[in-house]
Amino acid sequence: MVGHIAMRSIDRPDGQAARPTLGSVAGASSALARDGRSLPDTPPIKAAAENFSFFYGQFQALKSITLPVYEKHVTALIGPSGCGKSTLLRACNRMHDLYPGNRYEGAIRLLPDNTNLLDPAVDPIEVRMRIGMVFQKPNPFPKSIYENVAYGLRIRGEKSRSVLDDRVEEALKGAALWAEVAHRLNEPAFALSGGQQQRLCIARCLATDPEVLLFDEPTSALDPIATASIEELIDQLRQKVTILIVTHNMQQAARVSDFTAYMYLGELIEFGETRQMFVNPVRPETEDYITGRFG
Amino acid sequence: MIPADLSGIQRIIRRNKRRDLIFAIFGFVALLIGVLTFLALFLQMAFAGWERLTPDFFTSFPSRRAGQAGILSAWVGSVLVMLVTAVSAVPLGVAAGVYLEEYATRSWVTDLIEINVTNLAGVPSIVYGLLALGVFVYAFGFGQSILSAGLTLGLLILPVVIVATREAIRSIPQHIREGAYALGATRWQVTRDHIVPYSMPGILTGVIIGMSRAIGETAPVITIGALTFIAFLPESPIGPEFPWVNFEWLKSGFTVMPIQMFNWTSRPEEAFQQNAAAAGFVLVLMTLAMNAISIWIRYHLRKDIKW
Ligand SMILES: Nc1ncnc2c1ncn2[C@@H]1O[C@H](COP(=O)(O)OP(=O)(O)O)[C@@H](O)[C@H]1O
Ligand SMILES: [Mg+2]
């Protein structure tokens, strides 16, 4: 009920801004296939799923998803548990390739080079080097704070100590963690609190300058204060990097995202500007979900 | 019957606690049996062999006179054979375990291999001895040497190392692996930088369990032709000139502690029984020392590994 009130209290934007519905998404991504550009009234597209379907063996977890992800904006994926949010997110960096029996159909394109990330000819490692991922449970390596952040650089062959030092510092600053850990970079990462560990995982991604950052419910294992700090961080990061975030928390989606996609049973039900969607959803299913009548 | 009143509840709690106590006593007795057996054996050997445990005992070759006989060739032999065992079994066992867990895709072939490895751990050690006699001693021409013995015992503990490696790898949470892959690491990088280091404490435990078994093995070592009476030492592994290492010792004939013990126990004279007890005491100490070292290393590795 609190959620209901909180959401309804969002100010209605003056006038009805253009609402990208599924139709315009499809338009956007076919336009993008032609000249790599999006519709004039939306920001440039960084990535887009086109008729993307996904199968865990025989089970179809995603059904023909078409969804744009706008550059340097935050796109939230919401929907009830089991609707396929994580599956979609993990497809974006080919995580599913680690397990046998998974199958992709359709495309997820990354701009500006218009690479289909799912193309078997594209090495999943190349995809993962371009797209970072932050997991639900903070998963720092059982190494020092420094080594955690430096690891992405090390596997890219960086050996110079001074370069590593600089990039580690920069990444930790970018993740709003530097002040807290500057004096103890060589201490084990697990000595940090949960929220700090999650920011460390964000720093670990930032160190290698990813083009897109994927977040899978990054605050669901954290307390409210740590959650607030992560949300604040995401808010800052949007200026530098394109963000796709899964959240089961609708207030969080409303707070941090510019665009929202509502998914249900493996389908994309509605996509739009977050403010629009929370105030005036097009589809009744979306409205039921975000008003808490179901889910 | 569900109790209706307070005294009923209290009666049930008393009954449950009595059962608790009964198990606690049973468990304690079970533990005591194990501990006391070990202590009895250990102390008996210590008392029986006490007088022989002089520095001379460690620095003398065996002799026909019990009073002058020592375990020099035996303990040096055991240490060198164990060295070869560790150096051969650890890399092979770890590589096989890592391959099965991280590289092989599950199929009936890997299932078959898995069953095989588990069964291998149960094969009687004398069978390894026979195999080694044919393969190492004759086919490869290593002779009745420290190298043959070390490799034989290496094979013997290989399944233990493989199983320990796999167990240790399985205890690494999947989200740690995924974290590394998500940064763009290759399988080899994940293995080298994460899987192997994080499973090291578990692997070490397996290695030491295997080595503790191997150091006491007699049958396979006799089968491949360990001598029972040796009055010389293998060449020193440290050479006098560059590169300061010397592998001649690998080809040397040898004996090991349990064989020396066995030799002495089969003598009729009481004095040799004393020697056997003293050697047994030293053998147990060697095993305990290995365990202590592994516990220490494990403690130091494990305190940095948490998730
Ligand atoms: N490894 C898997 N194998 C088979 N089915 C899976 C697997 N992972 C998830 N699923 C199924 O796919 C659907 C979507 O799951 P998921 O993407 O995890 O949902 P969400 O993140 O939205 O809660 C669910 O029905 C789930 O049961
Ligand atoms: Mg999920």
Side-chain angles (χ1 to χ4, degrees):
Chain A
M1 272 302 104
V2 176
H4 180 93
I5 293 161
M7 240 134 16
R8 283 296 163 183
S9 71
I10 293 171
D11 287 336
R12 202 174 256 273
D14 9 49
Q16 290 286 14
R19 177 194 307 141
T21 59
L22 265 183
S24 70
V25 170
S29 46
S30 58
L32 131 127
R34 278 197 308 276
D35 61 8
R37 242 183 274 240
S38 58
L39 293 179
D41 56 346
T42 49
I45 289 181
K46 180 61 199 169
E50 290 169 5
N51 298 317
F52 169 57
S53 296
F54 183 81
F55 301 81
Y56 288 112
Q58 294 301 310
F59 174 68
Q60 182 168 11
L62 294 175
K63 296 170 189 154
S64 197
I65 305 274
T66 294
L67 172 76
V69 177
Y70 294 110
E71 184 155 28
K72 295 185 181 163
H73 282 73
V74 178
T75 303
L77 296 174
I78 62 167
S81 178
C83 70
K85 307 179 296 291
S86 297
T87 304
L88 176 56
L89 198 76
R90 289 162 63 86
C92 297
N93 69 346
R94 298 272 294 266
M95 234 30 186
H96 298 300
D97 285 41
L98 294 176
Y99 307 96
N102 298 333
R103 194 157 55 85
Y104 308 95
E105 258 173 30
I108 297 179
R109 296 193 179 278
L110 192 59
L111 279 282
D113 46 309
N114 209 18
T115 307
N116 177 10
L117 300 179
L118 306 178
D119 189 336
V122 175
D123 193 324
I125 298 197
E126 177 191 314
V127 175
R128 294 176 198 143
M129 286 200 169
R130 298 180 64 179
I131 299 182
M133 179 158 188
V134 176
F135 295 77
Q136 190 163 353
K137 188 168 176 278
N139 60 350
F141 305 131
K143 298 180 184 287
S144 69
I145 293 169
Y146 183 94
E147 282 307 323
N148 265 277
V149 184
Y151 189 64
L153 300 163
R154 287 199 193 279
I155 59 178
R156 284 159 177 76
E158 184 56 68
K159 293 205 169 63
S160 151
R161 184 75 201 192
S162 65
V163 173
L164 287 172
D165 285 351
D166 289 349
R167 300 284 293 263
V168 167
E169 179 173 343
E170 196 186 330
L172 285 167
K173 281 178 176 159
L177 193 58
W178 177 250
E180 288 152 77
V181 302
H183 58 288
R184 48 172 179 158
L185 292 176
N186 292 320
E187 281 180 27
F190 62 72
L192 299 173
S193 72
Q196 289 173 325
Q197 287 186 16
Q198 196 63 301
R199 276 180 281 148
L200 181 66
C201 293
I202 295 172
R204 190 168 71 181
C205 291
L206 292 179
T208 57
D209 268 334
E211 297 167 43
V212 180
L213 260 184
L214 309 170
F215 290 84
D216 192 351
E217 301 194 16
T219 61
S220 64
L222 304 181
D223 63 68
I225 292 173
T227 297
S229 74
I230 299 282
E231 286 181 8
E232 197 179 315
L233 179 56
I234 290 173
D235 201 45
Q236 292 165 15
L237 288 175
R238 91 173 81 212
Q239 289 155 22
K240 288 181 288 196
V241 59
T242 306
I243 292 174
L244 186 58
I245 178 173
V246 168
T247 173
H248 63 249
N249 177 331
M250 277 166 300
Q251 292 96 302
Q252 182 167 73
R255 283 192 298 265
V256 303
S257 73
D258 305 302
F259 297 91
T260 298
Y262 171 61
M263 295 173 64
Y264 183 62
L265 290 180
E267 287 182 82
L268 180 65
I269 303 297
E270 182 167 349
F271 172 81
E273 239 183 300
T274 301
R275 288 196 308 174
Q276 285 295 327
M277 188 125 140
F278 276 85
V279 175
N280 194 4
V282 175
R283 303 277 293 256
E285 304 96 300
T286 316
E287 175 149 23
D288 286 351
Y289 182 70
I290 57 189
T291 54
R293 236 172 284 159
F294 130 88
Chain B
M1 195 192 67
I2 297 160
D5 55 4
L6 187 57
S7 76
I9 290 172
Q10 286 167 340
R11 201 175 59 242
I12 296 237
I13 291 174
R14 268 198 306 280
R15 198 180 66 201
N16 290 350
K17 283 200 162 170
R18 216 155 39 232
R19 288 182 188 166
D20 211 21
L21 184 69
I22 290 171
F23 178 77
I25 292 172
F26 175 74
F28 183 71
V29 170
L31 187 71
L32 219 56
I33 290 174
V35 172
L36 287 181
T37 309
F38 173 76
L39 268 184
L41 281 172
F42 190 65
L43 291 179
Q44 196 230 337
M45 281 194 301
F47 284 129
W50 190 246
E51 288 165 35
R52 299 292 298 124
L53 288 170
T54 58
D56 280 348
F57 188 63
F58 293 89
T59 56
S60 307
F61 288 112
S63 158
R64 258 170 299 149
R65 268 168 306 222
Q68 285 165 21
I71 54 169
L72 178 60
S73 44
W75 76 255
V76 172
S78 276
V79 168
L80 292 179
V81 168
M82 282 303 110
L83 194 67
V84 177
T85 301
V87 166
S88 58
V90 173
L92 287 181
V94 172
V98 167
Y99 180 81
L100 281 173
E101 285 301 313
E102 296 294 314
Y103 280 76
T105 43
R106 274 197 86 81
S107 68
W108 63 270
V109 183
T110 49
D111 285 347
L112 202 70
I113 293 173
E114 182 157 2
I115 293 168
N116 236 301
V117 170
T118 321
N119 284 343
L120 218 54
V123 171
S125 57
I126 185 109
V127 177
Y128 283 92
L130 285 174
L131 173 85
L133 186 66
V135 177
F136 298 137
V137 179
Y138 295 123
F140 292 180
F142 294 160
Q144 304 178 331
S145 61
I146 290 178
L147 180 61
S148 291
L151 292 178
T152 308
L153 296 181
L155 274 190
L156 184 79
I157 70 166
L158 196 56
V160 181
V161 179
I162 294 175
V163 170
T165 303
R166 300 187 62 186
E167 295 288 320
I169 289 177
R170 280 186 206 167
S171 72
I172 300 173
Q174 192 60 22
H175 65 261
I176 297 279
R177 261 185 207 85
E178 289 192 347
Y181 280 117
L183 287 171
T186 60
R187 201 137 54 154
W188 168 242
Q189 285 168 332
V190 173
T191 300
R192 184 196 57 195
D193 301 336
H194 303 280
I195 302 302
V196 172
Y198 306 160
S199 49
M200 225 37 195
I203 293 174
L204 260 176
T205 311
V207 169
I208 295 295
I209 290 172
M211 301 264 284
S212 308
R213 179 177 166 200
I215 199 172
E217 278 295 342
T218 321
V221 192
I222 288 185
T223 315
I224 63 161
L227 304 169
T228 49
F229 186 97
I230 272 204
F232 59 86
L233 283 183
E235 271 188 56
S236 164
I238 298 157
E241 60 213 56
F242 189 81
W244 293 294
V245 280
N246 178 349
F247 290 106
E248 283 305 305
W249 58 275
L250 286 170
K251 298 181 201 153
S252 172
F254 68 99
T255 191
V256 290
M257 292 291 290
I259 293 179
Q260 184 65 70
M261 263 181 85
F262 178 71
N263 178 261
W264 280 333
T265 48
S266 60
R267 303 284 189 96
E269 300 95 317
E270 176 61 28
F272 278 112
Q273 304 302 322
Q274 243 186 8
N275 283 358
F281 180 78
V282 175
L283 182 57
V284 174
L285 280 190
M286 286 169 90
T287 314
L288 290 181
M290 277 199 304
N291 279 310
I293 292 170
S294 86
I295 289 171
W296 185 79
I297 296 177
R298 210 158 63 217
Y299 169 77
H300 277 272
L301 291 180
R302 205 164 264 171
K303 76 176 167 26
D304 293 332
I305 298 176
K306 268 187 209 153
W307 29 64

